[in-house]
Amino acid sequence: DQQVKQNSPSLSVQEGRISILNCDYTNSMFDYFLWYKKYPAEGPTFLISISSIKDKNEDGRFTVFLNKSAKHLSLHIVPSQPGDSAVYFCAASEGGAQKLVFGQGTRLTINP
Amino acid sequence: KAGVTQTPRYLIKTRGQQVTLSCSPISGHRSVSWYQQTPGQGLQFLFEYFSETQRNKGNFPGRFSGRQFSNSRSEMNVSTLELGDSALYLCASSLEAFGTEAFFGQGTRLTVV
């Protein structure tokens, strides 16, 4: 039973445009959500997080939106840059970052 | 401030052997979690240690075990290795407070032959 799902295995976006990565979850007990960026053979790098008491969080070019009623979150990257090309994972947890449930990842490719 | 350090970076082991991986968390972080990444299963939670006690455990067989020392450094052990244990093993450390992120190490790439 996959509690966190990223239904798009890949996404291709032109440089300078907006990248939107989506994530759905099924466990209503999740109250903390994170996005990580990952390159092959490296550990995930934290990007941005949001708790369930908020519906939006921004950090520079990255914005995460949370729709609790739909159990859906999305990551917006504006403007997209070539260095953003990587695999993006969303993760969810109950009560903190100690036990994360990850989605399967979305490979983002930014085209010049 | 130093990040999460995992050693070794790469390992090749034979089926049936055992292996120990090490993780040094960020200074001040007392929670250490371990994850396994494989192409088929993605990133899966193995277990979490806090103050030398295992607090959470994922759905892995008993061949996977771990421990944490008083300085928060952690080790994980896999006994009787199987080919399917080939994976990238990642360690993450975090503060105890809600709303803080987990920082990951570079991982240990284990290949079982």
Side-chain angles (χ1 to χ4, degrees):
Chain A
D1 174 31
Q2 206 172 343
Q3 298 184 71
V4 179
K5 295 181 186 178
Q6 293 175 256
N7 291 318
S8 298
S10 62
L11 176 67
S12 187
V13 174
Q14 198 157 3
E15 181 179 359
R17 306 294 287 268
I18 183 171
S19 295
I20 300 176
L21 297 102
N22 294 301
C23 179
D24 297 297
Y25 62 97
T26 57
N27 187 342
S28 56
M29 298 300 290
F30 288 148
D31 56 7
Y32 188 51
F33 305 88
L34 308 91
W35 284 93
Y36 285 86
K37 173 180 175 179
K38 190 179 184 300
Y39 297 111
E42 291 187 10
T45 301
F46 171 76
L47 285 173
I48 193 168
S49 63
I50 189 167
S51 72
S52 58
I53 62 172
K54 295 186 175 182
D55 53 20
K56 178 182 173 182
N57 189 26
E58 283 181 88
D59 185 359
R61 297 186 298 115
F62 302 95
T63 302
V64 56
F65 296 91
L66 175 63
N67 183 333
K68 289 186 291 293
S69 60
K71 293 191 178 68
H72 177 84
L73 64 155
S74 61
L75 174 68
H76 293 209
I77 306 174
V78 183
S80 300
Q81 299 174 353
D84 295 331
S85 294
V87 178
Y88 288 76
F89 289 92
C90 74
S93 72
E94 298 176 43
Q98 287 74 37
K99 179 182 176 183
L100 298 175
V101 180
F102 283 88
Q104 292 292 89
T106 296
R107 181 177 302 279
L108 175 65
T109 303
I110 307 300
N111 302 305
Chain B
K1 177 157 129 171
V4 179
T5 304
Q6 290 187 246
T7 56
R9 288 293 310 275
Y10 302 94
L11 263 180
I12 300 176
K13 289 286 189 178
T14 304
R15 265 183 307 175
Q17 287 186 312
Q18 74 166 17
V19 67
T20 300
L21 312 181
S22 180
C23 172
S24 292
I26 291 172
S27 177
H29 288 192
R30 292 197 293 163
S31 171
V32 175
S33 300
W34 289 88
Y35 295 83
Q36 180 197 64
Q37 185 185 24
T38 59
Q41 299 298 319
L43 272 158
Q44 291 191 290
F45 173 78
L46 279 156
F47 29 65
E48 183 238 348
Y49 285 86
F50 178 81
S51 291
E52 302 178 65
T53 301
Q54 186 182 91
R55 279 202 306 192
N56 290 291
K57 191 175 189 307
N59 295 325
F60 279 83
R63 299 185 298 106
F64 291 82
S65 62
R67 59 178 176 168
Q68 187 180 35
F69 301 95
S70 57
N71 61 358
S72 293
R73 191 176 70 84
S74 177
E75 290 181 346
M76 69 162 279
N77 183 276
V78 188
S79 62
T80 321
L81 284 166
E82 300 176 0
L83 295 179
D85 297 333
S86 295
L88 180 66
Y89 289 89
L90 292 158
C91 164
S93 76
S94 63
L95 291 168
E96 174 65 357
F98 176 81
T100 58
E101 59 269 29
F103 294 89
F104 284 81
Q106 295 279 66
T108 295
R109 168 69 65 185
L110 172 65
T111 302
V112 182
V113 297

